[in-house]
Amino acid sequence: MLEETLHKYFGYDTFRIGQKEVVESVLQGNDTLAVLPTGTGKSLCYQLSGYLLEGLVVIVSPLISLMEDQVSSLQKTQEKRVIALNSLLTKEEKRFVLRKLNQYKFLFASPEMLLQPEVLQALERCKIALLVIDEAHCVSQWGIDFRPEYRQLQRVKKRLKDPVTLALTATATKLVRNDIAATLLKENLNEIVYSVDRPNIALFVRETDDKFATLEETLKHFSGSGIIYCATRKNVEELYGLLKDRWNVGYYHGGLETNQRKVLQQQFSSGQLQLLIATNAFGMGINKPDIRFIIHYDLSDSLENYIQEIGRAGRDGRQSYAILLYQQGDEYVHHFFSQITQKEREGLERLFAHQQEETTPLQEKWQNQAQVIGEEAVLQLLTQNEEMKKQRLQNMLSYIFSTGCRRERLLANFEEELGVIPDQCCDLHGAQLPDPEIPRAAMATVDHWQEILLKLFKENI
DNA sequence: CGCAATTATGGTATCATAATTGCGGTGCTATACT
């Protein structure tokens, strides 16, 4: 039955892992939380469900670029009733879309957009088939101290008279799943959880007191595409300066212009750039199949983020590698980040106690939330969050210092046990990096991306 | 915490060193400006 619909709309004959289960759960009218491995076609779950339900499918998406990808992928299946409602639209376009909402089948929007009064009003007048939270770990990861609107989605859900809700993600710990459920899902939700393990990614940690030397040594082992993650923009640019003469490399972080980011992503995905040095700004929605290695020049702030970042390797199923370089003290930058939120929280406490007048933008958002759940509750949430962050960093460190199997430690973070130990499991299980490649021919004739950009800009002036 | 940039100090060197300060991740939206 479902297979027929699958064939009709998408041309496939069989479902991939988890898809059918999720669609069935949604069609039965259950709030559903699905943790499906990367690259298994999570979006098909809501697309297919949408076709079998009456009304509009509202998809909450964290990034404009992600919305654009999804819209164009739907358009490729000849679906025209699809729109991304975001700040790229003019006021007139936005008003038009809101007036004609009933003509659409799929609407993509950020939490910020959905919370706008005129958007809520328009949606209220509409039959909602399904509310989808894509990349649902953002509710927990970003919803507290970065994009609080993520938590206020519960207000959106209420205003829409509690439509069936589907939360989708590739990685979530038990704590995060519970948090998502408590924030946005009914009590009798259906949890569909598959393993987060990626057996074709071998895990390595290299402790060193000369990270750059270790990086160069590590890079010798690879000829395919790879990402190098750093914790700060400054480190990204410094490393770029050190590598740019000898590698075909670009860099990416949140300080770059949108256009630049698009060019870089495109160049990396198409293979024009072999290496990309980036902060955690890079990665969500990246579907390049043949990334062979992920090197962490700086550790991540949590195993949740770490597994997301290394999970971008080996989507084609071929052997790939995750190497983390650790130097004593690297974790302090993450302590610093948590201090920022701590100071923001302390400011908010003074504000509530009327000892302070001025507010930061973030504090304003928290104030809004306080009107919904109360001042006490907000402060409690923030304090809890600080504790959680500390614990997450500790878990990251315990992975680095683990003496048993790294995969086992990583999976334990997601309440999973290691079943079959892959051939190339981890450095503690005797895994080896591939043999060093024959030195590459000089890349002197290849322009660096900045030079290419510069030329483009000059041509346009 | 750690590093780099800026400012202060000493005592008279268009300078060397010390002390202080600033900065460090992830994105949405709206609005005014060229």
Side-chain angles (χ1 to χ4, degrees):
Chain A
M1 276 302 253
L2 274 181
E3 276 82 357
E4 282 170 25
T5 320
L6 178 71
H7 187 85
K8 180 181 163 197
Y9 287 101
F10 302 98
Y12 304 130
D13 292 323
T14 52
F15 285 101
R16 284 199 245 166
I17 185 170
Q19 286 176 334
K20 190 174 182 182
E21 221 180 324
V22 173
V23 173
E24 279 171 348
S25 167
V26 167
L27 292 181
Q28 283 161 19
N30 296 314
D31 275 7
T32 306
L33 171 55
V35 181
L36 298 182
T38 43
T40 51
K42 279 186 283 294
S43 31
L44 187 134
C45 294
Y46 64 74
Q47 291 171 2
L48 186 59
S49 308
Y51 284 128
L52 295 168
L53 294 166
E54 187 196 337
L56 178 71
V57 180
V58 177
I59 303 112
V60 183
S61 177
L63 304 180
I64 292 178
S65 62
L66 235 49
M67 297 178 205
E68 288 178 324
D69 292 350
Q70 307 271 29
V71 166
S72 73
S73 110
L74 269 165
Q75 282 170 341
K76 271 184 202 143
T77 69
Q78 303 307 314
E79 179 55 73
K80 294 190 178 65
R81 301 166 298 164
V82 50
I83 186 81
L85 183 66
N86 58 38
S87 59
L88 299 182
L89 302 187
T90 64
K91 273 182 183 165
E92 291 71 32
E93 288 168 332
K94 185 178 166 191
R95 213 176 311 139
F96 176 85
V97 171
L98 290 180
R99 234 185 357 232
K100 307 269 178 180
L101 264 190
N102 277 316
Q103 298 184 355
Y104 295 101
K105 186 72 204 176
F106 300 101
L107 176 88
F108 294 85
S110 67
E112 289 87 351
M113 181 61 78
L114 289 177
L115 278 155
Q116 291 180 10
E118 66 268 29
V119 177
L120 279 172
Q121 273 169 27
L123 284 170
E124 264 179 338
R125 293 194 299 265
C126 223
K127 165 90 184 155
I128 307 291
L130 181 64
L131 177 64
V132 181
I133 321 291
D134 200 11
E135 307 287 354
H137 55 277
C138 291
V139 172
S140 210
Q141 192 174 307
W142 284 356
I144 297 170
D145 58 11
F146 179 48
R147 291 174 66 178
E149 288 84 355
Y150 252 103
R151 299 225 135 221
Q152 298 186 39
L153 283 174
Q154 49 184 243
R155 244 173 65 205
V156 175
K157 190 178 177 178
K158 261 183 214 153
R159 278 284 292 271
L160 301 186
K161 296 176 211 78
D162 229 3
V164 175
T165 305
L166 169 62
L168 292 168
T169 178
T171 37
T173 61
K174 185 80 191 139
L175 268 174
V176 169
R177 297 204 300 270
N178 289 346
D179 187 41
I180 296 168
T183 314
L184 284 167
L185 305 175
K186 290 195 197 84
E187 264 182 40
N188 60 347
L189 75 148
N190 205 353
E191 247 190 37
I192 298 167
V193 181
Y194 283 86
S195 172
V196 295
D197 191 21
R198 299 284 306 283
N200 63 322
I201 302 176
L203 307 171
F204 297 79
V205 173
R206 297 191 151 181
E207 197 170 347
T208 170
D209 47 19
D210 186 347
K211 276 202 291 190
F212 186 66
T214 312
L215 174 69
E216 288 202 297
E217 197 285 312
T218 306
L219 283 174
K220 281 185 196 152
H221 290 269
F222 296 103
S223 60
S225 293
I227 305 174
I228 304 173
Y229 277 108
C230 297
T232 65
R233 295 175 183 184
K234 202 171 72 180
N235 286 358
V236 165
E237 292 189 19
E238 269 175 24
L239 208 50
Y240 173 74
L242 291 170
L243 292 178
K244 68 170 190 224
D245 292 333
R246 277 168 302 138
W247 295 87
N248 183 18
V249 55
Y251 74 86
Y252 186 109
H253 59 59
L256 302 181
E257 302 268 322
T258 316
N259 288 342
Q260 286 190 353
R261 291 168 69 151
K262 277 191 179 158
V263 170
L264 279 157
Q265 182 175 329
Q266 211 280 321
Q267 290 190 331
F268 180 67
S269 292
S270 67
Q272 290 174 63
L273 286 171
Q274 187 205 349
L275 296 178
L276 197 64
I277 310 171
T279 62
N280 59 353
F282 183 78
M284 218 185 255
I286 300 298
N287 250 323
K288 184 174 168 57
D290 58 350
I291 298 176
R292 288 278 75 81
F293 62 98
I294 310 284
I295 297 175
H296 277 73
Y297 196 72
D298 298 313
L299 75 181
S300 309
D301 64 358
S302 63
L303 283 175
E304 287 97 305
N305 276 332
Y306 187 66
I307 203 170
Q308 284 257 352
E309 285 154 9
I310 67 173
R312 284 153 200 154
R315 296 270 166 99
D316 55 9
R318 291 181 48 207
Q319 183 63 56
S320 303
Y321 301 84
I323 306 107
L324 187 148
L325 311 185
Y326 175 76
Q327 190 163 359
Q328 215 183 0
D330 277 355
E331 61 272 30
Y332 280 110
V333 69
H334 294 300
H335 282 138
F336 173 80
F337 289 144
S338 51
Q339 273 173 30
I340 295 178
T341 55
Q342 199 175 320
K343 280 193 183 123
E344 287 264 5
R345 193 251 308 153
E346 284 163 6
L348 190 73
E349 275 176 1
R350 283 196 298 276
L351 197 73
F352 286 160
H354 306 291
Q355 291 164 356
Q356 186 176 309
E357 299 283 311
E358 283 167 27
T359 55
T360 66
L362 195 52
Q363 285 168 1
E364 270 174 44
K365 292 178 169 190
W366 287 339
Q367 273 186 307
N368 286 340
Q369 210 192 340
Q371 285 166 11
V372 184
I373 62 172
E375 294 182 355
E376 276 305 310
V378 170
L379 289 175
Q380 200 191 340
L381 198 63
L382 295 177
T383 319
Q384 266 175 17
N385 187 238
E386 284 161 29
E387 287 306 313
M388 294 258 293
K389 281 191 168 180
K390 273 183 205 159
Q391 186 55 53
R392 285 187 192 146
L393 184 58
Q394 280 312 310
N395 289 341
M396 181 78 237
L397 286 166
S398 105
Y399 169 84
I400 291 171
F401 297 130
S402 62
T403 50
C405 170
R406 291 204 201 279
R407 191 171 304 272
E408 196 173 279
R409 179 64 193 81
L410 184 61
L411 293 181
N413 199 60
F414 300 91
E415 297 79 29
E416 264 188 59
E417 282 175 19
L418 176 59
V420 183
I421 300 170
D423 262 2
Q424 296 283 310
C425 178
C426 62
D427 47 356
L428 298 168
H429 259 131
Q432 299 284 329
L433 293 183
D435 289 333
E437 296 287 327
I438 300 148
R440 298 166 60 81
M443 305 292 293
T445 54
V446 177
D447 283 345
H448 288 297
W449 64 267
Q450 283 142 321
E451 288 153 14
I452 296 170
L453 266 180
L454 210 62
K455 279 180 197 166
L456 283 175
F457 285 140
K458 278 182 183 159
E459 279 165 20
N460 286 331
I461 288 168

